[in-house]
Amino acid sequence: MLDFIIRLFVYLGCFVLSMYGLSSVNYEKFIRSGKVKQAQVLYLLVAMGIAKLAAEFLMNIAYKVIP
């Protein structure tokens, strides 16, 4: 149970950090007019993908170092 809670917090933390990092990108240049909803969905999916990769990286480091 503790393992699940730790993983949950790592994934949520990475998601928040990826959203914060992506907020610095000026993606408005690439949005077609009238396609704001699709751009928001893409923004969320990219943030989730980055968060998953970062969280798995951190988990692998943590579980390889700490047996």
Side-chain angles (χ1 to χ4, degrees):
M1 183 67 178
L2 181 64
D3 183 49
F4 173 75
I5 293 172
I6 291 171
R7 285 182 183 267
L8 181 68
F9 280 117
V10 169
Y11 277 108
L12 287 176
C14 287
F15 180 71
V16 169
L17 287 174
S18 67
M19 291 287 284
Y20 178 70
L22 282 175
S23 68
S24 68
V25 177
N26 186 10
Y27 62 91
E28 294 165 357
K29 296 181 205 177
F30 306 109
I31 299 174
R32 292 184 184 166
S33 60
K35 301 286 185 179
V36 176
K37 295 256 188 220
Q38 288 90 344
Q40 289 174 343
V41 169
L42 180 63
Y43 183 79
L44 265 171
L45 290 174
V46 168
M48 288 190 318
I50 292 171
K52 182 174 180 354
L53 290 172
E56 286 180 356
F57 175 74
L58 292 174
M59 297 288 202
N60 283 334
I61 288 176
Y63 286 115
K64 298 286 184 196
V65 173
I66 302 171

